[in-house]
């Protein structure tokens, strides 16, 4: 729907062909941006300066809802009714966030650990989606006020590592806020777009986006070619950022004041005073060489060199993540052409110096690092509005996706770090004669056995026409759309029978779990390989046992009593071997049976052919 609006203040006509806004829905702060005269701009708050809306929601006693700065002010005075960092809870179950529960000052419901988390405020329960909706409504309100026109279409950014469920939750929040979410875009991709990187399709390159905010760190490597943004790898730490530096400075001040840090847990207002002082010291030291302040009536002092010594291990941790991302992508720092800085903490000189040194490249840092993602989201919105053609965005899958096959084995269909959107498939068949149904269970993870991976969902392909085992051709396709949402489609090719599901897992997976799953897959690689070997040998043995029984039933008149007896004995031996956990033992029993029965099978086949030639009916 195209909109034409009149500015009631000055009577000017606002041309608004489908204004599509760009939203950075952040952990600490959120922003909204749009294109003005071909340039992206962030909407400012009532003070005419600040573009950041703190991602904080407060529920006062009067039943209203406060969002942003007004809510942030209540963090100290009314923590139980003031919700922050809700992004960390999007698409998560209590089980996923149990180990970080202490981080939140409000109540997270814990009576159903598998279900999506809910937050208790007074006598009501809120989902993270509903709380994010409140933040999005505030952003929508702000931009509508600025443009004097209703806005209904948006692009929202999410971290590159967000899984299906977290992306879906973000989309749902947009919908509840009255926004048609046209695209969920990765934050690093938006940051690159903000610098115009990738807008010239003739210049292929690899870029790194280093994002150090208040509470989280992300590094993403993008390969940009032919107007396509492809995320090669991502890495990071969900609890590493400016807040950690503030805590280190608070500890430093405490030692200057001869204060036991334990006291701060009890005296919340002193804790808050020192935290604010530490943050302003840190910010001041991004420009000055030393900082002098007062706390509890006494002077405190910190130099830039002192701050750098405190920060050094934290910065080192971010570089370790960068190293891991490069390794995952299989590239060296020299192959990275540009480095884009995102997040308020990249204003710190030590961070910039270390990052520039690590990649050996000049930094892209001319834009406000707090705004860069929102600005890029507005550019993406502009691309979707059709104003910038030939651009497409690709992501990657953070974990492998596959299905369970016989024996509980994981059969990977789309490997980890594959491009998104993506489509891949494989053909399967039945294992039992006349099998009518086939269960398709979809898993995510790197381990060989599905029991060690994470189940995303399952469905049953019903009504396969009766056929001997092995004859049906069941084609299973995995389709991941541009938002990273997976659809699994199963089709029996002989009959055309088809069924599909969209995978919307009941709860998301935490980044910590994801990292743990990857580590586990490496640690258990040897053991998994052995287990897979045993299970595959067992599957082969079971198939052979079934075929052997059938052979004996159909050919008992053709075989001598000795041959029958030996075949039986070898089948029994195989049955026994199949119970063992020694794959070589199973393989030996398979070989013994095959060696003995191969000439018998040959004879049986000749007999069948002779019978057929004589014009008699061939037995099935
Ligand atoms: P973000 O989450 O991207 O908004 O980043 C906020 C973080 O950036 C907070 O930890 C701020 O203290 C930090 N920050 C903002 N400005 C500066 C600055 N000039 N120097 C150091 N840190 C800063």
């Amino acid at each position: 729907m195209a909109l034409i609006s009149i500015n009631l203040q000055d009577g000017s006509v606002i041309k608004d062909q489908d204004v599509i806004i760009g939203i950075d829905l952040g952990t600490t702060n959120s922003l909204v941006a749009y294109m003005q005269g071909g340039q992206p701009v962030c909407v400012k708050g009532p003070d005419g300066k600040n573009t950041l809306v703190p991602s904080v929601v407060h529920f006062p006693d009067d039943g209203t809802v406060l969002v942003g700065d007004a809510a942030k002010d209540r963090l100290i005075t009314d923590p139980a009714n003031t919700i922050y960092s809700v992004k960390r809870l999007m698409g998560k179950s209590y089980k996923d966030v149990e180990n970080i529960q202490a981080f939140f000052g409000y109540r997270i419901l814990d009576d159903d650990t598998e279900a999506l988390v809910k937050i208790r405020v007074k006598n009501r329960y809120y989902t993270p989606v509903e709380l994010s909706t409140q933040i999005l409504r505030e952003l929508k309100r702000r931009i509508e006020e600025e443009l004097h026109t209703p806005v209904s279409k948006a692009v929202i950014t999410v971290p590159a590592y967000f899984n299906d469920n977290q992306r879906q939750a973000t989309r749902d929040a947009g919908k509840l806020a009255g926004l048609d979410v046209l695209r969920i875009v990765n934050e690093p991709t938006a940051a690159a777009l903000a610098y115009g990187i990738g807008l010239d399709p003739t210049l292929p390159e690899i870029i790194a986006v280093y994002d150090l905010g208040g509470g989280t760190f992300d590094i993403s490597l993008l390969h940009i070619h032919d107007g396509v943004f492809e995320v090669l790898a991502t890495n990071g730490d969900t609890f590493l950022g400016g807040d950690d530096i503030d805590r280190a400075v608070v500890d430093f001040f405490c030692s200057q004041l001869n204060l036991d840090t334990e006291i701060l847990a009890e005296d919340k207002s002193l804790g808050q005073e020192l935290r604010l002082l530490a943050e302003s010291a840190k910010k001041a030291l991004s420009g000055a060489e030393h900082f002098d302040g007062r706390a509890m009536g006494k002077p405190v002092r910190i130099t830039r060199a002192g701050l750098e010594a405190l920060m050094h291990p934290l910065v080192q941790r971010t570089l370790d993540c960068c190293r891991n991302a490069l390794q995952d992508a299989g590239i060296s720092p020299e192959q990275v052409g540009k480095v884009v800085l995102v997040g308020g903490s990249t204003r710190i000189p030590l961070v910039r110096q270390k990052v520039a040194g690590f990649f050996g490249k000049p930094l892209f840092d001319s834009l406000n690092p707090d705004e860069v993602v929102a600005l890029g989201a507005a550019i993406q919105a502009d691309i979707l509005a059709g104003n910038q053609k030939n651009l497409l965005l690709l992501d990657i899958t953070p974990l492998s996706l596959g299905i369970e096959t016989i024996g509980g084995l994981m059969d990977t269909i789309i490997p980890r770090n594959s491009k998104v959107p993506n489509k891949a498939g494989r053909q399967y068949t039945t294992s039992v004669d006349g099998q009518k149904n086939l269960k398709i269970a979809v898993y995510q993870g790197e381990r060989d056995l599905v029991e060690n991976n994470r189940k995303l969902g399952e469905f049953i392909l019903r009504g396969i026409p009766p056929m001997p085992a092995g004859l049906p051709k069941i084609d299973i396709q995995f389709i991941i759309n541009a938002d990273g949402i997976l659809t699994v489609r199963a089709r029996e090719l002989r009959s055309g029978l088809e069924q599909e599901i969209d995978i919307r897992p009941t709860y998301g997976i935490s980044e910590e779990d994801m990292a743990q799953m990857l580590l586990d897959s490496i640690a258990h690689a040897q053991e998994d390989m052995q287990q897979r070997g045993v299970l595959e040998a067992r599957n082969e043995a079971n198939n052979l046992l079934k075929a052997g029984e059938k052979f004996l039933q159909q050919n008992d008149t053709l075989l001598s009593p000795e041959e029958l007896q030996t075949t039986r004995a070898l089948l029994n031996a195989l049955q026994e071997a199949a119970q063992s956990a020694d794959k070589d033992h199973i393989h030996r029993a398979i070989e013994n049976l095959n060696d003995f029965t191969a000439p018998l099978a040959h004879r049986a086949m000749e007999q069948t052919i002779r019978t057929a030639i004589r014009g008699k009916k061939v037995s099935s």
Side-chain angles (χ1 to χ4, degrees):
M1 182 182 62
L3 296 164
I4 297 277
S5 309
I6 311 284
N7 183 340
L8 293 177
Q9 281 167 4
D10 60 14
S12 63
V13 174
I14 299 165
K15 271 203 289 121
D16 181 357
Q17 285 130 3
D18 266 1
V19 173
I20 309 176
I21 55 174
I23 291 178
D24 171 5
L25 185 61
T27 310
T28 323
N29 295 302
S30 297
L31 299 94
V32 56
Y34 68 106
M35 294 299 275
Q36 190 187 55
Q39 288 301 318
V41 286
C42 286
V43 177
K44 296 186 179 74
D47 64 353
K49 279 198 294 230
N50 199 358
T51 52
L52 301 178
V53 177
S55 305
V56 185
V57 183
H58 173 69
F59 295 89
D61 286 334
D62 62 8
T64 56
V65 183
L66 295 178
V67 177
D69 285 309
K72 194 178 172 185
D73 292 343
R74 307 300 179 91
L75 272 175
I76 298 294
T77 53
D78 192 4
N81 299 314
T82 312
I83 315 299
Y84 57 93
S85 268
V86 69
K87 188 171 174 181
R88 293 184 189 272
L89 302 175
M90 288 291 263
K92 302 274 178 93
S93 71
Y94 180 74
K95 219 166 97 195
D96 293 327
V97 296
E98 199 173 11
N99 56 345
I100 54 165
Q101 154 94 70
F103 168 84
F104 302 98
Y106 44 87
R107 266 201 66 187
I108 298 176
L109 205 68
D110 60 358
D111 53 1
D112 183 352
T113 57
E114 299 277 328
L116 288 172
V117 283
K118 283 204 170 82
I119 294 133
R120 183 169 173 169
V121 184
K122 303 197 170 96
N123 289 326
R124 259 207 70 181
Y125 297 104
Y126 294 90
T127 63
V129 170
E130 287 171 304
L131 296 162
S132 298
T133 300
Q134 297 291 353
I135 301 167
L136 290 170
R137 276 203 189 117
E138 171 63 21
L139 296 172
K140 183 172 182 282
R141 197 191 57 72
R142 273 197 179 198
I143 191 151
E144 288 179 340
E145 220 170 83
E146 165 113 354
L147 297 179
H148 308 283
T149 184
V151 163
S152 64
K153 293 192 168 131
V155 165
I156 305 181
T157 59
V158 295
Y161 58 76
F162 254 31
N163 65 17
D164 278 7
N165 209 33
Q166 293 166 299
R167 285 165 197 262
Q168 192 59 41
T170 307
R171 203 173 252 288
D172 291 346
K175 211 182 202 170
L176 280 175
L179 291 168
D180 181 7
V181 182
L182 301 184
R183 186 64 73 88
I184 296 286
V185 180
N186 282 336
E187 288 161 10
T189 302
L193 281 173
Y195 279 103
I197 297 171
L199 295 179
D200 179 352
T202 59
L203 286 177
E205 61 187 334
I206 293 175
I207 69 155
V209 180
Y210 179 102
D211 180 349
L212 187 62
T216 57
F217 169 65
D218 294 308
I219 174 75
S220 310
L221 299 169
L222 309 183
H223 181 205
I224 306 171
H225 52 95
D226 304 316
V228 170
F229 291 62
E230 177 194 339
V231 183
L232 295 178
T234 65
N235 210 293
D237 189 326
T238 45
F239 284 93
L240 177 59
D243 299 346
D244 298 281
I245 305 172
D246 299 347
R247 271 190 288 276
V249 177
V250 167
D251 290 351
F252 181 78
F253 285 162
C254 281
S255 68
Q256 275 189 11
L257 295 165
N258 280 327
L259 203 67
D260 188 345
T261 44
E262 305 270 298
I263 291 173
L264 304 183
E266 287 151 33
D267 190 342
K268 291 245 172 357
S269 73
L270 176 63
Q272 175 70 351
E273 183 194 332
L274 284 178
R275 204 191 60 73
L276 290 176
L277 186 70
E279 190 184 6
S280 40
K282 172 188 76 174
K283 286 185 178 172
L285 291 175
S286 289
E289 284 300 323
H290 52 81
F291 171 87
D292 289 288
R294 290 188 81 77
M296 304 169 76
K298 294 185 200 157
V300 286
R301 182 185 171 85
I302 182 166
T303 60
R304 184 183 293 179
L307 175 73
E308 289 183 349
L310 294 176
M311 282 178 49
H312 197 263
L314 300 172
V315 181
Q316 220 44 49
R317 272 167 60 195
T318 69
L319 299 184
D320 291 342
C321 294
C322 294
R323 216 166 278 121
N324 292 339
L326 287 168
Q327 203 175 352
D328 258 2
I331 55 170
S332 63
E334 294 75 50
Q335 287 170 277
V336 174
K338 289 176 178 135
V339 181
V340 175
L341 295 187
V342 181
S345 301
T346 60
R347 292 193 178 95
I348 300 173
L350 180 73
V351 171
R352 302 153 77 90
Q353 179 200 327
K354 290 282 178 192
V355 176
F358 179 86
F359 287 102
K361 296 284 145 35
L363 305 172
F364 277 67
D365 58 359
S366 57
L367 294 172
N368 179 335
D370 290 318
E371 294 183 353
V372 58
V373 168
L375 296 174
I379 295 176
Q380 172 61 35
D382 201 42
I383 295 168
L384 289 179
N387 299 334
Q388 302 190 34
K389 302 241 166 8
N390 308 327
L391 281 168
L392 210 120
L393 303 182
L394 292 185
D395 302 338
I396 52 151
T397 53
L399 292 168
S400 299
L401 295 161
I403 64 165
E404 175 179 2
T405 56
I406 288 186
L409 286 171
M410 168 90 172
D411 200 21
T412 295
I413 294 188
I414 298 186
R416 173 174 123 74
N417 275 350
S418 294
K419 291 169 201 162
V420 171
N422 203 324
K423 189 169 175 230
R426 194 161 298 164
Q427 274 189 20
Y428 296 86
T429 190
T430 50
S431 55
V432 178
D433 286 343
Q435 189 174 331
K436 288 194 201 127
N437 301 330
L438 186 77
K439 188 174 89 178
I440 294 141
V442 183
Y443 284 83
Q444 186 177 38
E446 308 312 307
R447 302 284 297 276
D448 277 348
L449 291 183
V450 291
E451 65 182 45
N452 297 320
N453 289 333
R454 178 166 177 273
K455 190 173 189 174
L456 293 179
E458 68 172 40
F459 67 106
I460 295 172
L461 180 66
R462 289 181 203 279
I464 303 169
M467 282 182 250
L471 210 57
K473 283 187 174 174
I474 297 158
D475 181 58
I476 296 186
Q477 291 289 331
F478 275 37
I479 303 137
I480 312 181
N481 72 10
D483 291 338
I485 306 231
L486 172 69
T487 301
V488 178
R489 182 177 300 153
R491 210 173 118 119
E492 202 291 300
L493 298 179
R494 292 180 194 277
S495 60
L497 178 73
E498 185 174 313
Q499 205 164 320
E500 70 173 42
I501 50 161
D502 285 343
I503 299 284
R504 305 237 188 286
T506 46
Y507 61 86
I509 189 165
S510 68
E511 297 78 59
E512 293 77 17
D513 282 353
M514 202 141 80
Q516 194 54 48
M517 282 167 87
L518 292 177
L519 286 175
D520 284 351
S521 72
I522 297 164
H524 296 278
Q526 179 85 10
E527 182 190 319
D528 279 3
M529 228 165 64
Q530 271 166 1
Q531 234 169 345
R532 178 178 272 271
V534 174
L535 287 172
E536 279 173 351
R538 265 189 207 154
N539 287 343
E540 198 184 333
N542 287 332
N543 286 338
L544 206 59
L545 283 168
K546 270 188 224 149
E549 287 299 338
K550 208 165 163 182
F551 177 76
L552 285 185
Q553 272 169 24
Q554 287 174 346
N555 299 293
D556 59 343
T557 53
L558 187 82
L559 306 180
S560 70
E562 293 77 36
E563 283 168 340
L564 271 174
Q565 200 186 355
T566 312
T567 308
R568 267 236 167 274
L570 288 169
L571 280 170
N572 288 342
L574 179 58
Q575 185 137 37
E576 205 176 301
Q579 312 299 318
S580 88
D582 179 351
K583 87 169 186 297
D584 294 337
H585 182 43
I586 305 174
H587 279 307
R588 268 197 303 278
I590 290 173
E591 269 167 36
N592 290 343
L593 181 69
N594 275 339
D595 288 352
F596 185 76
T597 55
L600 307 185
H602 188 70
R603 201 191 313 151
M605 193 142 73
E606 281 186 340
Q607 170 72 21
T608 311
I609 293 168
R610 266 200 302 277
T611 315
I613 289 171
R614 263 191 254 128
K616 290 196 178 157
K617 196 171 163 277
V618 183
S619 65
S620 62

